[in-house]
Amino acid sequence: TQSTWGGTPSARTRGSPKAREADAGPPKAGAFRKRKPEPTEFRRFYDRGDLPISVEHKALGNRIAWKVDIEKLDYHHYLPIFFEGIRENEEPYRFLANEGAKDLLENGGAKIQLVIPQLIIPIKRALNTRDEAIVCRTLLMLQRLVLSAPDIGVSLTPYYRQILPILNLFKTKNANLGDAIDYGQRKRENVGDLVEETLQLFELNGGEDAFINIKYMVPTYESCVLN
């Protein structure tokens, strides 16, 4: 029997809510939406007085004061805690975690390589916040990490699958904001440029398989060695 609606089935259903949703395309995934950082282990340890650091106020700006010899610290314990603090945006936690991690990398030498597996989860958590300020800090810390001791870049290669997806996401996010982008570049806060710099350091220091592994996770990356 003929339907009283008239017209073809496709015409009859085209105006339905489900059809309109289909015509509108897939919903936005919110890929760049910030995730609010959870309280970090760094904050918990600092508030309890379990970290051998304090803020030293100087005329030319604050600096971190160590209460012990850095080289005598247990890197397996402390370095992951300071990397946890990279995703802190609140002071003094942000300042202390960032400056403390820099000092540890500068003085760690061969001890750093043994701790690499414990640093991956804090790095991944920081990147997954999608907070550009935190992502930029994490990228700069990754660059310091790669250059902190021989073979660190090679040791990071097995963890590309955990680290690089967010770098792939931000690689093309170079906002053209006129003077603002120039200011960002001067301060090394342009996330797209920092992603490119970091990937190049990974390739240069990651051994012979670095490029193919980077390319697998970040298809738009072009080799800085082969080209």
Side-chain angles (χ1 to χ4, degrees):
T1 59
Q2 187 174 2
S3 168
T4 57
W5 287 90
T8 63
S10 61
R12 291 197 303 270
T13 59
R14 192 173 293 140
S16 70
K18 287 186 177 180
R20 286 197 298 272
E21 287 177 10
D23 290 342
K28 293 181 179 179
F32 292 105
R33 180 175 57 83
K34 291 182 184 180
R35 276 69 165 168
K36 185 178 180 181
E38 298 176 358
T40 67
E41 285 290 286
F42 177 86
R43 179 185 294 232
R44 187 168 69 88
F45 274 83
Y46 181 75
D47 286 347
R48 272 192 341 207
D50 289 342
L51 296 177
I53 52 171
S54 61
V55 178
E56 188 174 330
H57 302 282
K58 294 284 188 178
L60 298 178
N62 295 339
R63 54 173 288 180
I64 188 171
W66 290 90
K67 301 173 184 178
V68 296
D69 185 347
I70 296 178
E71 295 179 359
K72 293 180 180 178
L73 288 173
D74 178 356
Y75 267 62
H76 278 278
H77 177 68
Y78 285 106
L79 191 56
I81 292 173
F82 277 84
F83 266 68
E84 266 276 305
I86 293 173
R87 67 180 192 274
E88 286 283 358
N89 274 331
E90 188 178 331
E91 302 296 355
Y93 310 106
R94 182 204 63 82
F95 172 78
L96 287 169
N98 203 52
E99 295 304 308
K102 289 179 186 176
D103 285 352
L104 288 167
L105 291 178
E106 189 174 323
N107 293 276
K111 289 184 286 188
I112 296 171
Q113 187 167 3
L114 300 174
V115 191
I116 292 293
Q118 295 169 256
L119 302 181
I120 302 306
I121 289 178
I123 290 168
K124 185 178 178 181
R125 283 175 178 163
L127 293 172
N128 280 339
T129 63
R130 268 91 160 165
D131 183 314
E132 283 198 31
I134 296 174
V135 170
C136 287
R137 281 204 301 275
T138 308
L139 292 170
L140 289 168
M141 199 61 69
L142 277 169
Q143 293 180 18
R144 287 178 177 271
L145 176 62
V146 170
L147 298 174
S148 63
D151 297 326
I152 295 291
V154 176
S155 298
L156 283 171
T157 306
Y159 302 103
Y160 283 174
R161 286 175 180 270
Q162 297 181 59
I163 297 173
L164 297 191
I166 299 297
L167 274 65
N168 183 47
L169 183 68
F170 278 96
K171 186 174 185 296
T172 56
K173 196 177 189 326
N174 252 343
N176 289 312
L177 301 174
D179 292 338
I181 191 171
D182 294 332
Y183 178 71
Q185 287 171 341
R186 286 199 300 274
K187 292 185 68 181
R188 298 192 74 211
E189 290 177 355
N190 185 283
V191 66
D193 292 342
L194 285 175
V195 167
E196 189 68 23
E197 286 178 19
T198 306
L199 292 174
Q200 288 179 358
L201 274 177
F202 279 5
E203 182 185 3
L204 290 169
N205 295 275
E208 59 183 15
D209 294 328
F211 172 67
I212 192 169
N213 283 290
I214 293 170
K215 187 74 172 176
Y216 181 78
M217 299 303 299
V218 188
T220 59
Y221 178 70
E222 298 297 334
S223 173
C224 62
V225 175
L226 302 176
N227 296 333

